[in-house]
């Protein structure tokens, strides 16, 4: 387990993704019979600004099924309200959301960093234009990330960010026999359920954290977001110390059997 830069019932993360996909596919089937799509076209260069070219090219071939699924997802299903509410934490600080960095990975592996938005409406508008294949949520800075180029580098510093743990099923390749790498099945997924329970208990009982969000990472495991205010304010040294505390065994050795003679301090 490694700390990087949300608690669900067993199996629900993957089922939720498939359910959403079925809904989008059904919506797509309804659209195929129409002569003209009611959905808005891609952004103009003037609207998209610095990332105009990648965003426009992301939509140029938008008649293929994957692009249409993504367009429908961002138009109809993405939970913009809850997403913005979560990442602004009630907007106690009026600049909290505006100072939060987002990065978009567009079709063709085009990576756009230092995106920031003043409001939920602005975030929604830009995401519907860009239709990213991947979204990364970054730290909250002392200035708006989109203004980074106008600010002296030494003055632009992160103020807060969630404590995030990334657990991949491939971390258990030493002790599972059914699958390897990113492959996962009903036999080895229970390992992730156990990891969630162990991690949750340690974070709650040993560190006193309360606001935990476990989510399916989208490919090979889960992410745990610790959202308590004091977790968001941790220094890098403190984050590393927590990760080290939670590390019992580092995989990668050839041995399939692991013997632990000393009890974990928890």
């Amino acid at each position: 387990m490694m700390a990087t830069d949300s608690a669900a019932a067993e199996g629900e993360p993957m089922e939720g993704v498939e359910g959403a996909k079925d809904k989008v596919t059904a919506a797509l089937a309804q659209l195929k019979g129409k002569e003209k799509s009611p959905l808005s076209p891609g952004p103009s260069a003037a609207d998209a600004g610095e990332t105009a070219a990648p965003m426009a090219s992301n939509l140029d071939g938008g008649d293929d099924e994957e692009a249409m699924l993504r367009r429908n997802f961002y138009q109809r299903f993405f939970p913009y309200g809850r997403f913005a509410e979560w990442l602004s934490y009630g907007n106690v600080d009026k600049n909290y959301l505006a100072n939060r960095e987002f990065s978009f990975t567009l079709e063709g592996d085009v990576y756009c960093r230092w995106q920031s938005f003043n409001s939920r409406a602005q975030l929604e508008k830009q995401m519907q234009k860009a239709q990213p294949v991947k979204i990364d949520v970054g730290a909250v800075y002392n200035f708006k990330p989109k203004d980074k180029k106008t600010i002296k580098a030494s003055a632009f510093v992160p103020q807060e960010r969630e404590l995030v743990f990334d657990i991949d099923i491939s971390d258990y390749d030493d002790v599972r026999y059914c699958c390897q790498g990113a492959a996962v099945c009903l036999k080895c997924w229970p390992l992730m359920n156990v990891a969630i329970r162990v991690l949750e208990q340690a974070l709650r009982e040993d560190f006193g954290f309360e606001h935990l969000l476990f989510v399916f990472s989208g490919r090979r495991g889960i992410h745990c977001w610790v959202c308590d205010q004091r977790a968001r304010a941790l220094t890098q040294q403190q984050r590393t110390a927590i990760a080290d505390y939670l590390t019992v065994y580092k995989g990668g050795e050839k041995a399939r059997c692991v013997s632990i003679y000393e009890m974990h301090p928890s």
Side-chain angles (χ1 to χ4, degrees):
M1 295 185 293
M2 298 181 61
T4 65
D5 247 293
S6 274
E10 298 182 5
E12 285 186 354
M14 290 188 291
E15 292 174 0
V17 171
E18 293 300 325
K21 185 176 179 180
D22 291 342
K23 292 181 180 180
V24 176
T25 303
L28 175 62
Q30 294 178 357
L31 288 173
K32 281 185 175 180
K34 298 184 179 182
E35 294 182 358
K36 184 177 181 181
S37 171
L39 303 178
S40 59
S44 64
D47 291 337
E50 187 176 63
T51 56
M55 289 184 181
S57 64
N58 185 38
L59 302 179
D60 285 343
D63 289 337
D64 63 278
E65 184 171 340
E66 183 177 343
M68 291 185 70
L69 283 170
R70 193 164 59 249
R71 182 184 298 120
N72 274 277
F73 173 71
Y74 283 115
Q75 290 278 352
R76 301 186 178 193
F77 300 106
F78 191 90
Y80 296 103
R82 292 189 176 183
F83 188 61
E85 183 180 10
W86 164 39
L87 294 175
S88 61
Y89 294 95
N91 212 29
V92 176
D93 179 346
K94 65 179 181 179
N95 294 318
Y96 205 89
L97 180 62
N99 288 0
R100 167 88 68 174
E101 182 199 357
F102 296 86
S103 66
F104 295 161
T105 301
L106 308 182
E107 189 174 349
D109 203 28
V110 178
Y111 189 53
C112 302
R113 280 203 69 179
W114 310 117
Q115 308 290 306
S116 60
F117 310 97
N118 294 327
S119 65
R120 169 254 171 104
Q122 192 177 88
L123 170 67
E124 180 176 354
K125 180 180 179 180
Q126 192 66 3
M127 286 179 63
Q128 288 189 7
K129 286 183 178 181
Q131 297 173 22
V133 297
K134 181 171 178 278
I135 304 167
D136 287 297
V137 178
V140 177
Y141 289 82
N142 53 339
F143 293 97
K144 296 178 181 179
K146 64 182 179 181
D147 297 332
K148 181 178 183 292
K149 291 184 178 180
T150 66
I151 302 167
K152 188 176 179 180
S154 60
F156 185 73
V157 295
Q159 302 295 298
E160 291 186 1
R161 58 191 172 99
E162 289 77 4
L163 176 63
V164 182
F165 294 89
D166 182 1
I167 306 177
D168 292 332
I169 190 63
S170 56
D171 294 339
Y172 296 89
D173 281 354
D174 289 352
V175 295
R176 61 178 181 150
Y177 297 87
C178 50
C179 305
Q180 290 286 289
V184 63
C185 70
L186 293 176
K187 291 182 179 180
C188 56
W189 185 256
L191 291 168
M192 302 304 291
N193 293 331
V194 172
I196 289 174
R197 292 173 184 175
V198 171
L199 181 59
E200 180 178 15
Q201 181 170 335
L203 291 172
R204 293 188 186 279
E205 296 186 7
D206 297 350
F207 295 97
F209 294 129
E210 299 179 1
H211 304 292
L212 311 181
L213 176 65
F214 288 90
V215 295
F216 178 54
S217 65
R219 187 178 178 216
R220 64 171 70 189
I222 59 144
H223 292 167
C224 172
W225 288 67
V226 186
C227 303
D228 299 54
Q229 197 282 327
R230 62 189 183 89
R232 304 198 306 269
L234 290 171
T235 65
Q236 186 57 50
Q237 184 178 9
Q238 292 169 327
R239 294 165 188 266
T240 301
I242 293 175
D244 289 343
Y245 173 84
L246 293 170
T247 300
V248 177
Y249 165 70
K250 294 182 179 180
E253 291 83 352
K254 294 181 179 180
R256 285 282 180 175
C257 298
V258 181
S259 296
I260 300 176
Y261 295 100
E262 296 184 5
M263 294 294 290
H264 190 271
S266 65

